Amino acid sequence: MKLLIAIVQDEDASKLISTLMNEGYGVTKLATTGGFLRAGNTTLLIGVDDAKLDGALDVIEKVCHSRKQVASAATQMSPGMSSGFAPYPVEVMVGGATVFTLNVEQFKKF
Ligand code: 2BA
């Protein structure tokens, strides 16, 4: 079994959850915040049997789109910049989805 941790944009979350649920996947939704943009995003925990892993990744890839967002002046830039913060708005491409796949040692429901 695997655990997918999928960080997606809020705009894609609802459709992604319903598509995954319709296809028989279990999903837990967490409201999260990206460290760079300091903006809300959504993290999904998806436990899947190994045989269904590729199917889940296919759904995520199909549903989640990349979009441009603007990093505001409050955005902390990479180390090395003098002030540490963006001096003017910077456009960044966000998503479609950032997905971590973890091996699950044990899965129990009580
Ligand atoms: P944020 O950290 O808010 O990042 C939003 C987008 O800003 C990123 O999109 C990337 O295009 C850009 N970005 C991030 N850090 C940057 C930097 N130091 N300099 C310039 N641009 C930067 P994505 O890569 O698609 O990431 C979307 C969200 O996924 C992230 O939101 C974060 O919540 C999560 N994420 C991405 N990589 C991660 C990682 N290695 N570990 C944990 N979470 C991650």
Side-chain angles (χ1 to χ4, degrees), residues 1-3 25-28 45-50 102-110:
M1 185 174 206
K2 307 282 187 218
L3 176 67
Y25 295 97
V27 182
T28 294
L45 305 180
I46 309 156
V48 290
D49 290 329
D50 289 3
L102 285 67
N103 286 316
V104 174
E105 197 168 306
Q106 194 175 54
F107 172 65
K108 281 186 185 292
K109 287 187 181 180
F110 295 105

Coordinates of all heavy atoms in Angstrom, one line a residue, residues 1-3 25-28 45-50 102-110:
M1 N 0.8 -1.2 0.0 CA 0.0 0.0 0.0 C 0.9 1.3 0.0 O 2.0 1.2 0.5 CB -0.9 0.0 1.2 CG -1.9 1.1 1.3 SD -3.0 1.0 2.7 CE -4.4 1.9 2.0
K2 N 0.3 2.3 -0.6 CA 1.1 3.6 -0.7 C 0.2 4.7 -0.1 O -1.1 4.6 -0.1 CB 1.4 4.0 -2.1 CG 2.1 3.0 -2.9 CD 3.5 2.9 -2.6 CE 4.3 2.0 -3.6 NZ 5.3 1.2 -2.9
L3 N 0.8 5.7 0.4 CA 0.1 7.0 0.8 C 0.6 8.1 -0.1 O 1.8 8.4 -0.2 CB 0.4 7.3 2.3 CG -0.2 8.6 2.7 CD1 -1.7 8.5 2.8 CD2 0.3 9.0 4.1
Y25 N -11.5 5.8 -4.5 CA -10.3 6.1 -3.7 C -10.8 6.8 -2.4 O -11.8 7.5 -2.4 CB -9.4 7.1 -4.4 CG -8.7 6.5 -5.6 CD1 -9.2 6.7 -6.9 CD2 -7.6 5.6 -5.5 CE1 -8.6 6.1 -8.0 CE2 -7.0 5.1 -6.6 CZ -7.5 5.3 -7.8 OH -6.9 4.8 -8.9
G26 N -10.1 6.5 -1.3 CA -10.4 7.2 0.0 C -9.5 8.4 0.0 O -8.4 8.4 -0.3
V27 N -10.1 9.6 0.5 CA -9.4 10.8 0.5 C -9.7 11.6 1.8 O -10.8 11.6 2.3 CB -9.9 11.7 -0.7 CG1 -9.2 13.0 -0.7 CG2 -9.9 11.0 -2.0
T28 N -8.6 12.2 2.3 CA -8.8 13.1 3.4 C -8.2 14.5 3.0 O -7.1 14.5 2.4 CB -8.0 12.7 4.7 OG1 -8.6 11.5 5.1 CG2 -8.0 13.7 5.8
L45 N -4.6 13.5 1.5 CA -4.0 12.2 1.9 C -4.8 11.1 1.2 O -6.1 11.1 1.3 CB -4.1 12.0 3.4 CG -3.5 13.1 4.2 CD1 -3.6 12.7 5.7 CD2 -2.0 13.3 3.9
I46 N -4.2 10.3 0.4 CA -4.9 9.3 -0.4 C -4.2 7.9 -0.2 O -3.0 7.8 -0.6 CB -4.9 9.6 -1.9 CG1 -5.4 11.1 -2.1 CG2 -5.7 8.6 -2.7 CD1 -4.9 11.7 -3.4
G47 N -4.8 7.1 0.6 CA -4.3 5.7 0.8 C -4.7 4.8 -0.4 O -5.9 4.7 -0.6
V48 N -3.8 4.2 -1.0 CA -4.1 3.3 -2.2 C -3.4 2.0 -2.2 O -2.2 1.9 -1.8 CB -3.8 4.0 -3.6 CG1 -4.7 5.2 -3.8 CG2 -2.3 4.4 -3.7
D49 N -4.1 1.0 -2.7 CA -3.4 -0.3 -2.9 C -2.4 -0.1 -4.0 O -2.6 0.7 -4.9 CB -4.4 -1.4 -3.3 CG -5.3 -1.8 -2.1 OD1 -4.8 -1.7 -1.0 OD2 -6.5 -2.1 -2.4
D50 N -1.3 -0.8 -4.0 CA -0.3 -0.7 -5.0 C -0.8 -0.7 -6.5 O -0.4 0.0 -7.3 CB 0.8 -1.7 -4.9 CG 1.7 -1.5 -3.6 OD1 1.4 -0.5 -2.9 OD2 2.6 -2.2 -3.4
L102 N 4.5 7.6 -0.6 CA 5.2 7.0 0.6 C 4.8 5.5 0.7 O 3.6 5.2 0.5 CB 4.8 7.7 1.9 CG 5.5 9.1 2.2 CD1 5.0 10.1 1.3 CD2 5.1 9.5 3.6
N103 N 5.7 4.7 1.1 CA 5.3 3.3 1.4 C 4.6 3.3 2.7 O 5.0 3.9 3.7 CB 6.6 2.4 1.5 CG 7.1 2.1 0.1 OD1 6.4 1.8 -0.9 ND2 8.4 2.3 -0.1
V104 N 3.5 2.5 2.8 CA 2.8 2.4 4.1 C 3.2 1.1 4.8 O 3.1 0.0 4.2 CB 1.3 2.4 3.8 CG1 0.5 2.1 5.1 CG2 0.9 3.7 3.2
E105 N 3.7 1.2 6.0 CA 4.2 0.0 6.7 C 3.0 -0.8 7.2 O 3.0 -2.0 7.1 CB 5.0 0.4 7.9 CG 5.8 -0.7 8.5 CD 6.9 -0.1 9.4 OE1 7.6 0.8 9.0 OE2 6.9 -0.6 10.6
Q106 N 2.0 -0.1 7.7 CA 0.8 -0.8 8.2 C -0.4 0.1 8.0 O -0.3 1.3 8.1 CB 1.0 -1.1 9.7 CG 0.0 -2.0 10.3 CD 0.4 -2.3 11.8 OE1 0.5 -1.4 12.6 NE2 0.6 -3.6 12.1
F107 N -1.6 -0.6 7.8 CA -2.8 0.2 7.6 C -3.9 -0.5 8.4 O -4.2 -1.7 8.2 CB -3.2 0.2 6.1 CG -4.6 0.8 5.9 CD1 -4.9 2.1 6.2 CD2 -5.6 0.0 5.3 CE1 -6.1 2.7 5.9 CE2 -6.8 0.5 5.0 CZ -7.1 1.9 5.3
K108 N -4.5 0.2 9.4 CA -5.5 -0.5 10.2 C -6.6 0.5 10.4 O -6.4 1.7 10.5 CB -4.9 -0.8 11.6 CG -4.1 -2.1 11.7 CD -3.7 -2.4 13.1 CE -2.8 -3.6 13.2 NZ -3.4 -4.8 12.8
K109 N -7.8 0.0 10.5 CA -9.0 0.8 10.9 C -9.6 0.1 12.1 O -9.8 -1.1 12.1 CB -10.0 0.8 9.8 CG -9.6 1.7 8.6 CD -10.8 1.8 7.6 CE -10.4 2.7 6.4 NZ -11.5 2.8 5.5
F110 N -9.8 0.9 13.2 CA -10.4 0.3 14.4 C -11.8 0.8 14.6 O -12.1 1.9 14.2 CB -9.5 0.7 15.6 CG -8.1 0.1 15.6 CD1 -7.0 0.9 15.2 CD2 -7.9 -1.2 15.8 CE1 -5.7 0.4 15.2 CE2 -6.6 -1.8 15.7 CZ -5.6 -1.0 15.4

